[in-house]
Amino acid sequence: MAPSLLRLATRYNTIGARLLHNTGKVASSSALPNIQSAAIQKTLTTEPKPLVAKEKLLFGHTFSDHMLTVDWTRKGGWQKPQIIPYGPLSIDPSASVLHYAFECFEGLKAYRDAKGNIRLFRPDKNMTRMNSSVERLYLPQFDGAEAIECIKELVRTDQRWVPDGKGYSLYIRPTVIATENTLGVHAANSAKLFVITSPCGPYFPTGFKAVSLYCDETNVRAWPGGVGNRKLGANYAPSVAPQAAAEKKGYQQILWTIGEDHELMEVGTMNLFVYWKNEQGELELVTPPLDGTILPGVTRDSILELARSWGGIKVSERKVNMKQVAKASDEGRLLEVFGAGTACVVTPVNRIHFQGKDYVIPLDPAKPESQAGPLAARVYDTLTGIQYGEIESDWSVLVD
Amino acid sequence: MAPSLLRLATRYNTIGARLLHNTGKVASSSALPNIQSAAIQKTLTTEPKPLVAKEKLLFGHTFSDHMLTVDWTRKGGWQKPQIIPYGPLSIDPSASVLHYAFECFEGLKAYRDAKGNIRLFRPDKNMTRMNSSVERLYLPQFDGAEAIECIKELVRTDQRWVPDGKGYSLYIRPTVIATENTLGVHAANSAKLFVITSPCGPYFPTGFKAVSLYCDETNVRAWPGGVGNRKLGANYAPSVAPQAAAEKKGYQQILWTIGEDHELMEVGTMNLFVYWKNEQGELELVTPPLDGTILPGVTRDSILELARSWGGIKVSERKVNMKQVAKASDEGRLLEVFGAGTACVVTPVNRIHFQGKDYVIPLDPAKPESQAGPLAARVYDTLTGIQYGEIESDWSVLVD
C-alpha cells in the first residue's frame, strides 16, 4: 500500500471506531429488555436424532437436536431466549437478511476433557466481537455474559452431541440476522440471534497437513473504511469465487494482500503469522495489526499472548508485505508461515505463489517428514492443551 | 485516489473481468437444465389479499398475492419455475445465505400505461446484471430471457396489483440466495431464485424534493478488487450505520467517495451525475466510470444514452473528485447534481457537505421554487414518458 494510503487507513480506522461507537449508542436503548439466560424457555425434541459415528463427521454437516433463538424488536428489545428443536426458520421473502446481508456470525467450540467435563475457550472474546459486528449492522449490542450462559445451557441440553477425544469438539455457531420484512435499505426493526451446534472431528485427522497459498493480486478481501474487522457475512461470499480460482491453479488457500506492496492481510478465512529472522537479525513472530481491515481473531490474540509470555522471540503486530517475505525466503531467513483460526488452531503453510514464483516455506528442518514448524506445533499443543483442560488456564471455561 | 492506486484499479478491473469469466464457466454446466418459462407450475392462492389504497402505499411494505421461485442444485441445474402464494420461505439455520451473504438482487418495475397495458423497462439489463452478480457468488448463470418470461407471467398473475396512474408501479424484486445447508465457506451446491412484487407510489408524491448529501470521509462503499460493481447483498448492510450517522448530522444521503482526492462514487444506493461547466468551459454531464467499484445502473446507462442522443452537451464517464466539484461550486460553474436509480429515476441534490463546509448546489435558477434542475427534470420526464408508454421506445417492453 502506498504510504499515503497507509495514512488514510490509520485515519479511517480511528474515525471509524468513533463513528461506530456513536451509532451503537443510537441503535440500542438500555431501557429495553436485554438477553436474560434465567428466562430461557425450553421445548425439547420428541424425536432425538441418532448420533453420527465421530469418525464419520464432516465439518458443518451434522447438527445437534436443539438450537437457541432470541428474537429482538426495536420497540420491544430482546425477547425470552428459546431452546427449541433444530429445524428450519420461517423467513419472509422480503427479510433484510436475504437481500442486504444483514447478518453476522461467530464460531467457537465446546471441548470434552479427559474427565468428561465440557469446556469452552474464551467465549467472552466471541461475544465481544459479535457485539462489534451487530453494532456495524446498526443492530443493538446485547449482554455477552448472559448470551454465554444461554449458550452453555444449549450445550448442556445437547451434551450427548459433544464427542469424546482430543481433536473432537462441538462447533458452536452464534448468528444474528435481520428479519425486518420490508424492502428498502434502512435500519432493521427486527432481528433474530440464533445458535446452532455441529459435532466435528479434528481439522487434521492424520496430523498436520501443510497448505499452499496463492497470493491473489486481483481481489481484495477488505479495505480501509470497509468492514474487514467485523465478522459480517458480507466479508465471506465474495471470497468464494477467488478461492475456487486459486484451487484451479493448484493452490489450497488464498493469501489476501492489499495495495501495490502486497501487504499481508489474511489467509483464506484465517489470520496470518510469519515467523522469521528479520532484517535486523532478530527472531520475530509477525502478524498484521488490527488496523480495521483485519479480523480480530480469538486464536490470533491467544497466540500473541502465549508467544509474548514464552519470551525469546520478538512478537510484533505490524505491517509486513509480500516482497519482504519473498526476500526473507530468498535469503534463508524465513522460518515458518501459518494461518490461525478456531477451526484448525494453526494451519502450517509450505508454499506461497507470488507473481509467477513459488516460494517454499520451511516447516521443521530437524524433521524432514514434518508438516508443521516447531513454533506452530508448540502453539497448537499449548492451545489444544488448554482447550481440553490439560493445561490450567483462565481461558478454558467449564460448562458446569 | 493517488495515481498509483488508479492504475491498480484499472488493472484489478481488467483482471477481475477475466477471472470471473473463468469462474463462471467452472460454476455452470450447459448440460444441466436452465430456467424454462414454459415449464412454470402455478399454485394460486385461495385467499387473495385485499388491495391497499394506492395513496397509502409505503415503499416495500405491501406484497402481492404470489411469488415466483426457481430452485437450483449443482447436480440437477435449474428446476421448474413455480408461481405460488406469497409466504415465508423455510430456510435451514445453517443455510449459506444466513451466514456468508450468498445473496444478490435486482430491482425493476412494472408500469401501467394510459391504455391499461403493463410495461417493463429494460428488464434485459437487470437480468444481465443479475447474472454478473450470481457469477461473483460462484453460482451458475441462467437464461435471462427465460427469466424475464417467468417474471412477466408473475406480473400477469398478479396484474390487479399493478396500480393505475403515472408515478405508480409494481416494484419487482428478483433475488438469488444460496440454500446450501452445511457450514463452511465454500461454493454453494443449492440455491433459490425468487421474485416478489410490491405495489408502490411515486417516489416524489408532491413533485421533486431535492436532498442534501454528506460526503463520508470515514466509510468506503467499495474498493478496487472488491464487489462494488455487482448487486450483492454484501454491498448494502455496511451502508446503513454510516447512513444513520449522516442523518444524525442533518443530511439525507451519503455521498460515497474514495481515496485522498475524494473521487466521487455513488450517492446512497444511487449512481451519481454532475452537470457543470467544466474547467475548459464546456457544458458537461459527468458520471464516474464503470471501473469495477461502481454499480452499472440501468437508469445510469439510460441517462447516458439519452443525453448523448440529445446533443449540445458533452457526456463523460470519467473520474471526478470532490475538490473539483467544490471548486466548480465556488466558481459558479456547477449547474446540477443528481442521483439516479430505479426507485426515483432521478433525485436532485441541493447541498453537499464536504470537509466542514456546505456547498449549495443550484436547482433551476429560472424557477426559484423548483426542486429540480432543468436537466434532471428533462431526464425524469423522458424516462417516465418511456416507462409509461407515452414515448415510443424499445426500452419499454409490453407484458402482453
Side-chain angles (χ1 to χ4, degrees):
Chain A
M1 190 185 280
S4 54
L5 257 278
L6 271 176
R7 282 198 304 276
L8 255 195
T10 308
R11 181 155 62 87
Y12 277 132
N13 190 38
T14 313
I15 303 175
R18 207 158 58 229
L19 168 72
L20 289 162
H21 183 65
N22 289 342
T23 58
K25 275 187 189 162
V26 175
S28 64
S29 166
S30 58
L32 294 174
N34 210 310
I35 295 181
Q36 292 177 59
S37 60
I40 289 181
Q41 297 177 325
K42 284 172 92 163
T43 307
L44 298 184
T45 181
T46 53
E47 295 176 343
K49 294 178 270 194
L51 294 178
V52 173
K54 69 181 185 181
E55 298 74 17
K56 292 192 176 168
L57 292 168
L58 287 173
F59 179 78
H61 277 66
T62 304
F63 298 97
S64 67
D65 283 323
H66 298 92
M67 62 186 184
L68 171 76
T69 68
V70 194
D71 286 328
W72 170 86
T73 64
R74 197 166 291 275
K75 284 185 181 168
W78 291 100
Q79 306 302 300
K80 288 182 181 167
Q82 308 280 335
I83 288 177
I84 55 175
Y86 183 99
L89 303 171
S90 175
I91 299 180
D92 197 88
S94 69
S96 324
V97 64
L98 304 181
H99 301 264
Y100 309 125
F102 272 96
E103 59 198 78
C104 62
F105 68 96
E106 283 297 321
L108 67 164
K109 288 176 170 179
Y111 310 88
R112 194 179 288 280
D113 69 20
K115 292 176 188 160
N117 297 316
I118 300 172
R119 295 165 173 274
L120 304 177
F121 182 75
R122 308 187 78 186
D124 55 314
K125 298 288 283 182
N126 292 98
M127 292 303 105
T128 300
R129 187 170 63 188
M130 194 161 209
N131 267 320
S132 158
S133 299
V134 296
E135 184 179 47
R136 191 64 186 78
L137 294 172
Y138 207 59
L139 288 169
Q141 299 205 326
F142 55 85
D143 185 322
E146 285 295 309
I148 291 171
E149 291 308 311
C150 292
I151 289 172
K152 282 183 181 175
E153 184 57 26
L154 177 66
V155 172
R156 275 191 292 266
T157 305
D158 278 345
Q159 55 183 285
R160 72 187 183 99
W161 289 92
V162 186
D164 285 324
K166 191 122 180 232
Y168 291 89
S169 61
L170 183 69
Y171 181 80
I172 301 169
R173 169 58 63 90
T175 311
V176 172
I177 60 174
T179 51
E180 166 95 18
N181 58 353
T182 63
L183 299 178
V185 183
H186 52 65
N189 291 306
S190 61
K192 185 189 283 289
L193 182 155
F194 66 87
V195 185
I196 55 177
T197 69
S198 172
C200 61
Y203 192 85
F204 300 109
T206 57
F208 283 117
K209 194 104 186 63
V211 300
S212 56
L213 307 186
Y214 181 83
C215 178
D216 190 324
E217 297 188 61
T218 304
N219 299 287
V220 176
R221 175 191 170 273
W223 54 86
V227 293
N229 58 341
R230 319 275 173 151
K231 209 162 171 69
L232 305 191
N235 289 322
Y236 292 85
S239 74
V240 168
Q243 166 69 23
E247 287 174 23
K248 269 200 72 178
K249 294 190 179 81
Y251 298 85
Q252 286 157 290
Q253 296 271 344
I254 281 197
L255 176 60
W256 299 104
T257 63
I258 190 166
E260 289 189 317
D261 294 336
H262 305 285
E263 284 179 2
L264 305 186
M265 299 188 83
E266 299 192 13
V267 45
T269 59
M270 297 179 283
N271 288 119
L272 175 68
F273 284 85
V274 174
Y275 179 44
W276 61 8
K277 191 171 279 186
N278 65 24
E279 301 224 31
Q280 290 73 46
E282 304 162 306
L283 286 176
E284 183 187 31
L285 178 65
V286 193
T287 195
L290 301 180
D291 68 349
T293 66
I294 304 292
L295 194 78
V298 179
T299 309
R300 175 190 180 279
D301 182 83
S302 306
I303 291 171
L304 289 171
E305 193 165 331
L306 278 183
R308 282 174 181 141
S309 75
W310 290 338
I313 59 173
K314 185 174 177 177
V315 179
S316 304
E317 295 173 77
R318 66 176 178 88
K319 298 275 186 194
V320 54
N321 66 47
M322 197 49 219
K323 283 177 187 160
Q324 294 166 331
V325 171
K327 184 162 183 272
S329 170
D330 288 342
E331 296 173 359
R333 292 185 286 106
L334 195 55
L335 302 173
E336 299 182 34
V337 174
F338 54 89
T342 292
C344 62
V345 185
V346 292
T347 293
V349 172
N350 61 11
R351 196 160 50 109
I352 301 177
H353 182 92
F354 175 57
Q355 295 187 333
K357 182 175 167 184
D358 271 13
Y359 293 87
V360 175
I361 313 296
L363 292 164
D364 190 342
K367 300 177 193 163
E369 299 294 301
S370 172
Q371 286 286 302
L375 183 60
R378 186 179 179 189
V379 162
Y380 181 86
D381 290 344
T382 308
L383 284 179
T384 56
I386 293 170
Q387 287 161 347
Y388 287 89
E390 299 161 355
I391 299 170
E392 190 70 28
S393 166
D394 290 346
W395 288 350
S396 185
V397 176
L398 276 170
V399 178
D400 38 37
Chain B
M1 192 185 282
S4 52
L5 255 280
L6 273 176
R7 282 197 305 276
L8 256 193
T10 308
R11 181 153 63 87
Y12 277 131
N13 190 39
T14 314
I15 302 175
R18 205 160 61 229
L19 168 71
L20 289 164
H21 184 66
N22 288 341
T23 58
K25 275 188 189 164
V26 174
S28 65
S29 167
S30 58
L32 293 173
N34 211 311
I35 295 181
Q36 291 177 59
S37 60
I40 288 181
Q41 297 176 327
K42 284 173 93 163
T43 307
L44 298 185
T45 182
T46 54
E47 295 175 344
K49 294 179 272 194
L51 293 179
V52 174
K54 69 181 185 181
E55 297 75 16
K56 292 193 175 169
L57 291 170
L58 287 173
F59 179 77
H61 278 65
T62 304
F63 298 96
S64 67
D65 282 323
H66 298 92
M67 60 185 184
L68 170 76
T69 68
V70 195
D71 287 327
W72 170 86
T73 64
R74 197 165 292 276
K75 285 185 180 169
W78 291 100
Q79 306 302 300
K80 287 182 182 167
Q82 309 280 335
I83 288 177
I84 55 176
Y86 183 97
L89 302 172
S90 175
I91 299 182
D92 197 87
S94 69
S96 325
V97 65
L98 304 181
H99 301 264
Y100 310 126
F102 272 96
E103 60 199 76
C104 62
F105 67 97
E106 281 298 322
L108 67 163
K109 288 176 170 178
Y111 310 87
R112 193 180 289 279
D113 68 21
K115 292 178 190 161
N117 296 317
I118 301 172
R119 297 166 172 273
L120 304 177
F121 181 74
R122 307 187 79 186
D124 55 314
K125 298 288 283 181
N126 293 98
M127 293 303 106
T128 299
R129 186 170 64 185
M130 194 160 209
N131 268 321
S132 159
S133 298
V134 297
E135 182 180 47
R136 192 62 187 79
L137 295 171
Y138 206 59
L139 287 169
Q141 299 205 328
F142 55 85
D143 185 322
E146 286 293 311
I148 292 171
E149 292 307 311
C150 292
I151 289 171
K152 283 184 182 174
E153 184 58 24
L154 177 66
V155 172
R156 274 191 291 266
T157 304
D158 277 345
Q159 56 183 284
R160 73 186 183 100
W161 289 92
V162 186
D164 285 325
K166 191 126 180 226
Y168 291 89
S169 60
L170 183 68
Y171 181 80
I172 301 170
R173 169 58 62 91
T175 310
V176 172
I177 61 174
T179 52
E180 165 95 17
N181 59 352
T182 63
L183 299 178
V185 183
H186 52 67
N189 291 305
S190 60
K192 183 189 285 288
L193 182 156
F194 66 86
V195 184
I196 56 178
T197 69
S198 173
C200 60
Y203 192 85
F204 300 108
T206 56
F208 283 116
K209 192 102 187 66
V211 301
S212 56
L213 307 186
Y214 181 82
C215 177
D216 191 324
E217 297 189 60
T218 304
N219 300 286
V220 177
R221 178 190 167 273
W223 191 261
V227 293
N229 58 341
R230 319 275 174 150
K231 208 164 174 66
L232 305 190
N235 289 324
Y236 293 85
S239 75
V240 169
Q243 166 69 23
E247 286 173 23
K248 269 201 71 177
K249 295 189 179 82
Y251 298 86
Q252 285 158 292
Q253 296 271 343
I254 281 197
L255 175 61
W256 299 105
T257 64
I258 190 168
E260 289 189 316
D261 294 337
H262 305 285
E263 283 179 2
L264 305 185
M265 299 186 84
E266 299 192 13
V267 47
T269 58
M270 297 178 283
N271 289 118
L272 175 68
F273 284 84
V274 174
Y275 178 45
W276 61 8
K277 191 170 280 186
N278 65 23
E279 302 223 30
Q280 289 73 46
E282 304 162 306
L283 286 177
E284 183 186 29
L285 178 66
V286 192
T287 195
L290 301 181
D291 68 348
T293 65
I294 304 292
L295 194 77
V298 179
T299 309
R300 175 190 180 279
D301 182 82
S302 305
I303 292 172
L304 289 172
E305 194 166 329
L306 279 183
R308 283 176 180 137
S309 75
W310 290 337
I313 59 173
K314 185 172 177 180
V315 179
S316 304
E317 295 173 78
R318 66 176 177 90
K319 299 276 185 193
V320 55
N321 67 46
M322 197 48 220
K323 283 176 189 161
Q324 295 166 332
V325 172
K327 185 163 183 272
S329 171
D330 288 341
E331 296 174 358
R333 291 186 285 104
L334 195 54
L335 301 174
E336 297 183 35
V337 174
F338 54 88
T342 293
C344 60
V345 184
V346 292
T347 293
V349 172
N350 60 10
R351 195 160 52 109
I352 301 178
H353 182 92
F354 175 57
Q355 296 186 334
K357 182 175 169 184
D358 270 14
Y359 293 86
V360 175
I361 314 295
L363 292 163
D364 190 340
K367 301 178 194 161
E369 300 293 301
S370 172
Q371 287 286 303
L375 183 60
R378 183 177 183 191
V379 162
Y380 180 87
D381 289 344
T382 309
L383 284 179
T384 56
I386 293 170
Q387 287 162 347
Y388 288 87
E390 299 161 356
I391 299 172
E392 190 72 28
S393 166
D394 291 346
W395 288 348
S396 186
V397 176
L398 277 171
V399 178
D400 38 37

